Amino acid sequence: SFPKREARSIQVENKIYVGNLSYNTQEDELRSAFAAYGQVNSVRIISDRDTGRSKGFGFVEMATAEEASAAIAGLNNKEIGGRTLRVNVANDRAR
């Protein structure tokens, strides 16, 4: 039963947390910033359930761990939409 968990942990290395986003940042804008570092599998900006307004953070999933590492190194502390991004490996949330 270990291989399932192992496959999941590999996937987590590709998932990136992006914090301190401007509330006006769109997923397309984030996708194009990360695309400079490799293939972007998904982009999701988290929004408030009630208002639909961005909560100021999101997640980007890259195709490989190497691309994710390059994106983290390249975009952490960079400015997008007037805000300095915090970019790091996403923690695997307990479900």
Side-chain angles (χ1 to χ4, degrees), residues 44-69:
R44 186 159 164 247
I45 294 177
I46 306 304
S47 54
D48 185 276
R49 276 194 192 113
D50 299 329
T51 64
R53 184 177 155 187
S54 167
K55 287 190 167 188
F57 70 96
F59 298 94
V60 175
E61 189 175 331
M62 303 296 285
T64 68
E66 290 77 20
E67 291 170 348
S69 294

mmCIF file of all heavy atoms in Angstrom, residues 44-69:
data_model
loop_
_atom_site.group_PDB
_atom_site.id
_atom_site.type_symbol
_atom_site.label_atom_id
_atom_site.label_comp_id
_atom_site.label_asym_id
_atom_site.label_seq_id
_atom_site.Cartn_x
_atom_site.Cartn_y
_atom_site.Cartn_z
ATOM 1 N N ARG A 44 -4.722 27.827 -9.591
ATOM 2 C CA ARG A 44 -5.961 28.049 -8.849
ATOM 3 C C ARG A 44 -5.746 29.136 -7.819
ATOM 4 O O ARG A 44 -4.931 28.990 -6.912
ATOM 5 C CB ARG A 44 -6.398 26.751 -8.172
ATOM 6 C CG ARG A 44 -7.739 26.871 -7.510
ATOM 7 C CD ARG A 44 -8.380 25.514 -7.313
ATOM 8 N NE ARG A 44 -9.461 25.684 -6.357
ATOM 9 C CZ ARG A 44 -9.463 25.172 -5.144
ATOM 10 N NH1 ARG A 44 -8.468 24.414 -4.738
ATOM 11 N NH2 ARG A 44 -10.470 25.396 -4.330
ATOM 12 N N ILE A 45 -6.447 30.233 -7.980
ATOM 13 C CA ILE A 45 -6.435 31.301 -6.978
ATOM 14 C C ILE A 45 -7.623 31.037 -6.059
ATOM 15 O O ILE A 45 -8.745 30.824 -6.527
ATOM 16 C CB ILE A 45 -6.511 32.693 -7.627
ATOM 17 C CG1 ILE A 45 -5.230 32.954 -8.433
ATOM 18 C CG2 ILE A 45 -6.720 33.770 -6.560
ATOM 19 C CD1 ILE A 45 -5.206 34.267 -9.178
ATOM 20 N N ILE A 46 -7.368 31.021 -4.761
ATOM 21 C CA ILE A 46 -8.411 30.706 -3.789
ATOM 22 C C ILE A 46 -9.261 31.953 -3.548
ATOM 23 O O ILE A 46 -8.732 33.040 -3.323
ATOM 24 C CB ILE A 46 -7.781 30.218 -2.460
ATOM 25 C CG1 ILE A 46 -6.811 29.052 -2.706
ATOM 26 C CG2 ILE A 46 -8.861 29.845 -1.447
ATOM 27 C CD1 ILE A 46 -7.400 27.861 -3.434
ATOM 28 N N SER A 47 -10.573 31.748 -3.601
ATOM 29 C CA SER A 47 -11.466 32.887 -3.385
ATOM 30 C C SER A 47 -12.427 32.607 -2.232
ATOM 31 O O SER A 47 -12.707 31.458 -1.898
ATOM 32 C CB SER A 47 -12.233 33.222 -4.662
ATOM 33 O OG SER A 47 -12.900 32.091 -5.145
ATOM 34 N N ASP A 48 -12.915 33.675 -1.650
ATOM 35 C CA ASP A 48 -13.857 33.601 -0.544
ATOM 36 C C ASP A 48 -15.182 33.008 -1.037
ATOM 37 O O ASP A 48 -15.705 33.446 -2.059
ATOM 38 C CB ASP A 48 -14.066 35.002 0.024
ATOM 39 C CG ASP A 48 -14.946 34.978 1.243
ATOM 40 O OD1 ASP A 48 -16.185 34.981 1.063
ATOM 41 O OD2 ASP A 48 -14.418 34.969 2.367
ATOM 42 N N ARG A 49 -15.717 32.044 -0.315
ATOM 43 C CA ARG A 49 -16.966 31.394 -0.731
ATOM 44 C C ARG A 49 -18.125 32.380 -0.812
ATOM 45 O O ARG A 49 -18.968 32.273 -1.685
ATOM 46 C CB ARG A 49 -17.350 30.302 0.267
ATOM 47 C CG ARG A 49 -16.667 29.018 0.010
ATOM 48 C CD ARG A 49 -17.321 27.885 0.805
ATOM 49 N NE ARG A 49 -16.454 26.728 0.753
ATOM 50 C CZ ARG A 49 -15.816 26.235 1.797
ATOM 51 N NH1 ARG A 49 -15.959 26.763 2.975
ATOM 52 N NH2 ARG A 49 -15.032 25.189 1.655
ATOM 53 N N ASP A 50 -18.196 33.309 0.136
ATOM 54 C CA ASP A 50 -19.339 34.222 0.205
ATOM 55 C C ASP A 50 -19.254 35.367 -0.790
ATOM 56 O O ASP A 50 -20.233 35.690 -1.443
ATOM 57 C CB ASP A 50 -19.480 34.791 1.625
ATOM 58 C CG ASP A 50 -19.727 33.684 2.645
ATOM 59 O OD1 ASP A 50 -20.359 32.660 2.283
ATOM 60 O OD2 ASP A 50 -19.284 33.828 3.794
ATOM 61 N N THR A 51 -18.059 35.976 -0.891
ATOM 62 C CA THR A 51 -17.933 37.172 -1.726
ATOM 63 C C THR A 51 -17.385 36.886 -3.118
ATOM 64 O O THR A 51 -17.535 37.694 -4.021
ATOM 65 C CB THR A 51 -17.004 38.202 -1.063
ATOM 66 O OG1 THR A 51 -15.690 37.629 -0.987
ATOM 67 C CG2 THR A 51 -17.479 38.578 0.329
ATOM 68 N N GLY A 52 -16.701 35.744 -3.286
ATOM 69 C CA GLY A 52 -16.073 35.435 -4.564
ATOM 70 C C GLY A 52 -14.773 36.188 -4.775
ATOM 71 O O GLY A 52 -14.094 36.025 -5.770
ATOM 72 N N ARG A 53 -14.393 37.020 -3.795
ATOM 73 C CA ARG A 53 -13.171 37.805 -3.888
ATOM 74 C C ARG A 53 -11.949 36.946 -3.555
ATOM 75 O O ARG A 53 -12.015 36.067 -2.711
ATOM 76 C CB ARG A 53 -13.271 38.970 -2.891
ATOM 77 C CG ARG A 53 -12.111 39.907 -2.947
ATOM 78 C CD ARG A 53 -12.307 41.059 -1.994
ATOM 79 N NE ARG A 53 -10.989 41.565 -1.653
ATOM 80 C CZ ARG A 53 -10.744 42.475 -0.747
ATOM 81 N NH1 ARG A 53 -11.718 43.020 -0.082
ATOM 82 N NH2 ARG A 53 -9.518 42.857 -0.508
ATOM 83 N N SER A 54 -10.860 37.214 -4.241
ATOM 84 C CA SER A 54 -9.613 36.494 -4.000
ATOM 85 C C SER A 54 -9.199 36.617 -2.539
ATOM 86 O O SER A 54 -9.351 37.667 -1.919
ATOM 87 C CB SER A 54 -8.511 37.076 -4.890
ATOM 88 O OG SER A 54 -7.248 36.608 -4.474
ATOM 89 N N LYS A 55 -8.665 35.518 -1.995
ATOM 90 C CA LYS A 55 -8.134 35.555 -0.632
ATOM 91 C C LYS A 55 -6.659 35.956 -0.625
ATOM 92 O O LYS A 55 -6.043 36.010 0.429
ATOM 93 C CB LYS A 55 -8.304 34.197 0.039
ATOM 94 C CG LYS A 55 -9.742 33.888 0.421
ATOM 95 C CD LYS A 55 -9.788 32.644 1.281
ATOM 96 C CE LYS A 55 -11.134 32.493 1.934
ATOM 97 N NZ LYS A 55 -11.115 31.401 2.917
ATOM 98 N N GLY A 56 -6.084 36.189 -1.805
ATOM 99 C CA GLY A 56 -4.700 36.655 -1.864
ATOM 100 C C GLY A 56 -3.663 35.546 -1.908
ATOM 101 O O GLY A 56 -2.483 35.783 -1.708
ATOM 102 N N PHE A 57 -4.112 34.320 -2.175
ATOM 103 C CA PHE A 57 -3.143 33.237 -2.354
ATOM 104 C C PHE A 57 -3.720 32.201 -3.306
ATOM 105 O O PHE A 57 -4.905 32.215 -3.621
ATOM 106 C CB PHE A 57 -2.749 32.589 -1.021
ATOM 107 C CG PHE A 57 -3.823 31.767 -0.370
ATOM 108 C CD1 PHE A 57 -3.873 30.403 -0.558
ATOM 109 C CD2 PHE A 57 -4.776 32.360 0.444
ATOM 110 C CE1 PHE A 57 -4.852 29.632 0.044
ATOM 111 C CE2 PHE A 57 -5.761 31.608 1.059
ATOM 112 C CZ PHE A 57 -5.802 30.238 0.855
ATOM 113 N N GLY A 58 -2.827 31.336 -3.778
ATOM 114 C CA GLY A 58 -3.269 30.303 -4.703
ATOM 115 C C GLY A 58 -2.231 29.212 -4.830
ATOM 116 O O GLY A 58 -1.237 29.190 -4.097
ATOM 117 N N PHE A 59 -2.476 28.320 -5.786
ATOM 118 C CA PHE A 59 -1.596 27.182 -6.014
ATOM 119 C C PHE A 59 -1.346 27.020 -7.499
ATOM 120 O O PHE A 59 -2.239 27.233 -8.311
ATOM 121 C CB PHE A 59 -2.213 25.897 -5.454
ATOM 122 C CG PHE A 59 -2.417 25.958 -3.971
ATOM 123 C CD1 PHE A 59 -3.622 26.358 -3.440
ATOM 124 C CD2 PHE A 59 -1.380 25.636 -3.111
ATOM 125 C CE1 PHE A 59 -3.816 26.441 -2.068
ATOM 126 C CE2 PHE A 59 -1.551 25.727 -1.734
ATOM 127 C CZ PHE A 59 -2.775 26.125 -1.210
ATOM 128 N N VAL A 60 -0.113 26.657 -7.825
ATOM 129 C CA VAL A 60 0.255 26.374 -9.209
ATOM 130 C C VAL A 60 0.878 24.991 -9.211
ATOM 131 O O VAL A 60 1.714 24.672 -8.357
ATOM 132 C CB VAL A 60 1.276 27.413 -9.741
ATOM 133 C CG1 VAL A 60 1.745 27.045 -11.139
ATOM 134 C CG2 VAL A 60 0.680 28.813 -9.712
ATOM 135 N N GLU A 61 0.460 24.172 -10.156
ATOM 136 C CA GLU A 61 1.073 22.850 -10.284
ATOM 137 C C GLU A 61 1.851 22.799 -11.585
ATOM 138 O O GLU A 61 1.317 23.071 -12.652
ATOM 139 C CB GLU A 61 0.003 21.753 -10.261
ATOM 140 C CG GLU A 61 0.613 20.371 -10.168
ATOM 141 C CD GLU A 61 -0.436 19.282 -10.020
ATOM 142 O OE1 GLU A 61 -1.507 19.546 -9.462
ATOM 143 O OE2 GLU A 61 -0.154 18.167 -10.492
ATOM 144 N N MET A 62 3.138 22.487 -11.460
ATOM 145 C CA MET A 62 4.029 22.393 -12.614
ATOM 146 C C MET A 62 4.122 20.932 -13.051
ATOM 147 O O MET A 62 3.793 20.027 -12.299
ATOM 148 C CB MET A 62 5.417 22.920 -12.252
ATOM 149 C CG MET A 62 5.457 24.348 -11.746
ATOM 150 S SD MET A 62 4.949 25.590 -12.951
ATOM 151 C CE MET A 62 6.399 25.629 -14.020
ATOM 152 N N ALA A 63 4.618 20.697 -14.270
ATOM 153 C CA ALA A 63 4.716 19.340 -14.809
ATOM 154 C C ALA A 63 5.758 18.500 -14.073
ATOM 155 O O ALA A 63 5.555 17.310 -13.866
ATOM 156 C CB ALA A 63 5.037 19.389 -16.298
ATOM 157 N N THR A 64 6.872 19.104 -13.663
ATOM 158 C CA THR A 64 7.930 18.343 -12.979
ATOM 159 C C THR A 64 8.409 19.090 -11.740
ATOM 160 O O THR A 64 8.243 20.312 -11.619
ATOM 161 C CB THR A 64 9.160 18.127 -13.891
ATOM 162 O OG1 THR A 64 9.790 19.389 -14.109
ATOM 163 C CG2 THR A 64 8.782 17.494 -15.228
ATOM 164 N N ALA A 65 9.039 18.347 -10.841
ATOM 165 C CA ALA A 65 9.608 18.946 -9.632
ATOM 166 C C ALA A 65 10.713 19.940 -9.999
ATOM 167 O O ALA A 65 10.884 20.961 -9.342
ATOM 168 C CB ALA A 65 10.143 17.856 -8.707
ATOM 169 N N GLU A 66 11.458 19.637 -11.073
ATOM 170 C CA GLU A 66 12.550 20.531 -11.500
ATOM 171 C C GLU A 66 11.986 21.882 -11.948
ATOM 172 O O GLU A 66 12.529 22.933 -11.616
ATOM 173 C CB GLU A 66 13.354 19.903 -12.640
ATOM 174 C CG GLU A 66 14.193 18.707 -12.238
ATOM 175 C CD GLU A 66 13.383 17.416 -12.066
ATOM 176 O OE1 GLU A 66 12.256 17.338 -12.600
ATOM 177 O OE2 GLU A 66 13.883 16.501 -11.387
ATOM 178 N N GLU A 67 10.896 21.842 -12.711
ATOM 179 C CA GLU A 67 10.274 23.087 -13.158
ATOM 180 C C GLU A 67 9.694 23.856 -11.968
ATOM 181 O O GLU A 67 9.791 25.082 -11.909
ATOM 182 C CB GLU A 67 9.175 22.792 -14.192
ATOM 183 C CG GLU A 67 9.738 22.286 -15.505
ATOM 184 C CD GLU A 67 8.677 21.769 -16.462
ATOM 185 O OE1 GLU A 67 7.515 21.577 -16.062
ATOM 186 O OE2 GLU A 67 9.030 21.561 -17.634
ATOM 187 N N ALA A 68 9.127 23.115 -11.031
ATOM 188 C CA ALA A 68 8.581 23.754 -9.826
ATOM 189 C C ALA A 68 9.697 24.458 -9.049
ATOM 190 O O ALA A 68 9.538 25.610 -8.632
ATOM 191 C CB ALA A 68 7.889 22.718 -8.944
ATOM 192 N N SER A 69 10.841 23.786 -8.904
ATOM 193 C CA SER A 69 11.989 24.386 -8.192
ATOM 194 C C SER A 69 12.479 25.639 -8.896
ATOM 195 O O SER A 69 12.786 26.643 -8.253
ATOM 196 C CB SER A 69 13.140 23.388 -8.094
ATOM 197 O OG SER A 69 12.778 22.314 -7.272
#
